[in-house]
Amino acid sequence: HLKDNFIGELSGGERQRVILARALAQEPKVLLLDEPTAHLDIHHQVSTLKLIQELARAEGLAVLAVLHDLNLASSFSDRIALLVDGKILAQGSPEEVIVAERLHRAYGSGILVMSRPDNLNRPIVLPDLRI
């Protein structure tokens, strides 16, 4: 429905999706993404990351994505690297990297880490409001 619009007329989220579509249209072997879900509502965040995940698995596409949302990173990543001041603090599976003590060291605030209630064995992160 937006095919006749100029990119400058699109919202931030629509623009983000156009940029991703342009990258995928080139059929890359490696996809480098910097905040691919920025400016997207939760529905479009999930559908975008599901699409990228499906393409990665079906097409053998390697994906390196920068995500500041730890819950999205945990839900959609096979491996995570936690960076602090440009250095890798930890890397591994979401379960290995997303640990409360490590996140506290990285972010300097109270953080609770729990298992997802849907038994997907992925950690979820919440702020610790008791601090």
Side-chain angles (χ1 to χ4, degrees):
H1 72 281
L2 299 171
K3 65 181 167 77
D4 295 324
N5 293 56
F6 291 105
I7 196 158
E9 299 172 340
L10 302 178
S11 71
E14 291 165 341
R15 217 173 291 137
Q16 189 78 345
R17 291 165 50 202
V18 167
I19 292 166
L20 179 59
R22 287 175 51 189
L24 292 172
Q26 298 177 42
E27 299 180 355
K29 298 287 183 212
V30 178
L31 193 58
L32 303 175
L33 303 170
D34 185 11
E35 289 293 329
T37 57
H39 309 292
L40 299 179
D41 61 37
I42 188 67
H43 168 76
H44 288 105
Q45 288 176 357
V46 170
S47 64
T48 297
L49 291 175
K50 277 185 179 180
L51 171 65
I52 293 166
Q53 188 178 56
E54 289 166 7
L55 286 171
R57 291 190 175 136
E59 305 294 327
L61 179 65
V63 178
L64 175 65
V66 174
L67 296 170
H68 287 97
D69 185 317
L70 296 176
N71 291 318
L72 288 176
S74 175
S75 296
F76 288 98
S77 302
D78 296 325
R79 296 188 51 78
I80 293 176
L82 178 62
L83 301 177
V84 176
D85 296 325
K87 296 185 175 93
I88 296 175
L89 178 63
Q91 62 182 324
S93 70
E95 297 81 14
E96 294 169 327
V97 174
I98 299 179
V99 176
E101 299 80 26
R102 186 173 292 126
L103 296 180
H104 178 71
R105 214 171 346 149
Y107 297 108
S109 60
I111 295 173
L112 298 173
V113 176
M114 301 182 236
S115 292
R116 287 179 55 116
D118 53 10
N119 294 322
L120 291 179
N121 296 322
R122 297 287 180 122
I124 58 171
V125 177
L126 297 169
D128 187 347
L129 302 177
R130 299 171 296 175
I131 294 178

